[in-house]
Amino acid sequence: MRTEVKLSKRLERIASFVQPGSRVADIGTDHGYVPIWLVQKGVCPSALAMDVRKGPLERAEEHVEEVGLSGKIELRLSDGLAKLKAGEADTVVIAGMGGKLTCRILEQGRHVWENWSEGKERLILSPQSEQDEVRHFLEKQGFSILREAMLTDEGKYYIVIEAARGTMRPGREQDYRFGADLIRKKDPVLLAYLEKEEKMTRQVLAGLTENDAQNKKRTLEASEAGETAISRRGARINELTAYLALIEETRHEMQ
């Protein structure tokens, strides 16, 4: 008997962004749960599950065999999009990686998407960090963000981005940092995230500024090392102050 795969809240939201009938390539598939779920639910007739590591790919293969989908899900060892040919997939899922790595995978795999048609094929991305860099990359490479979702799963915050070829108007800093679509929709999860970030940033700033004079006295010696430490601390305070102002502006806009 086939066992139906149950996805985590995060993976289920990612899978929900895939359009019915899509030919999906899941990059960094790990256990292969997303492609299995998509095929089991009838969202996709078939799928590609790809990973750069042999271990996870072997586990994914075992899971695919367990549910009897060996004929519908192809497993492929690949560094990012390297082994995916142009036209093999109309939807590419990249989830669970940092933003810099996500951008590198897309840049090195431009043969897959550079000839995509406007508004048709899809990228489904869920970067775990540096989401602003991903949004900047999409804009510069001629993509348009169609929608975003933010959710919490086991106490952590996650972003899901759907993008297609198109044009994005240059945004404000908070649009890249927090997501223009989420701000526009006054997303309640984003609001909760901003509240958490504001509280944490204020605490860090308070600790830095409270001890600033004492730290200066301790480290300000006739040495380059002491001056460098003071300079770095000052830069960090300025960085956090600017981030706090951005949070407050965004929260005010969303009220």
Side-chain angles (χ1 to χ4, degrees), residues 90-103:
D90 56 32
T91 300
V92 171
V93 176
I94 305 176
M97 305 177 198
K100 291 183 186 296
L101 179 56
T102 300
C103 292

Side-chain angles (χ1 to χ4, degrees), residues 3-167:
T3 303
E4 189 167 296
V5 165
K6 291 184 179 180
L7 298 182
S8 66
K9 186 178 176 182
R10 176 180 70 93
L11 291 181
E12 188 169 351
R13 181 65 64 87
I14 291 166
S16 74
F17 271 49
V18 176
Q19 300 295 314
S22 299
R23 291 173 292 134
V24 172
D26 183 30
I27 311 304
T29 194
D30 199 21
H31 291 78
Y33 291 147
V34 168
I36 290 173
W37 188 91
L38 289 168
V39 174
Q40 282 188 329
K41 294 294 184 181
V43 178
C44 301
S46 62
L48 273 163
M50 306 173 72
D51 206 289
V52 69
R53 298 169 297 168
K54 289 184 178 180
L57 203 64
E58 289 172 354
R59 289 196 298 271
E61 185 174 18
E62 291 174 2
H63 296 149
V64 169
E65 291 175 353
E66 285 173 3
V67 297
L69 293 177
S70 297
K72 293 187 175 182
I73 297 177
E74 179 184 345
L75 296 108
R76 193 176 294 178
L77 191 67
S78 175
D79 184 359
L81 297 167
K83 296 298 176 65
L84 182 64
K85 298 176 183 177
E88 280 192 294
D90 56 32
T91 300
V92 171
V93 176
I94 305 176
M97 305 177 198
K100 291 183 186 296
L101 179 56
T102 300
C103 292
R104 181 181 70 79
I105 288 172
L106 289 171
E107 174 61 38
Q108 294 179 352
R110 59 171 51 248
H111 66 279
V112 171
W113 51 262
E114 61 185 349
N115 292 319
W116 279 2
S117 301
E118 183 171 344
K120 291 188 177 180
E121 296 88 350
R122 297 285 194 270
L123 293 176
I124 310 297
L125 310 174
S126 185
Q128 292 187 321
S129 61
E130 300 131 352
Q131 291 93 353
D132 56 330
E133 295 194 26
V134 174
R135 295 181 181 109
H136 274 294
F137 178 89
L138 292 172
E139 179 187 312
K140 290 177 182 177
Q141 299 302 324
F143 282 92
S144 175
I145 294 177
L146 305 179
R147 58 173 169 157
E148 294 195 35
M150 192 172 197
L151 69 148
T152 57
D153 190 1
E154 296 185 353
K156 296 183 179 180
Y157 288 86
Y158 297 97
I159 287 283
V160 185
I161 300 171
E162 179 183 14
R165 296 295 263 171
T167 303

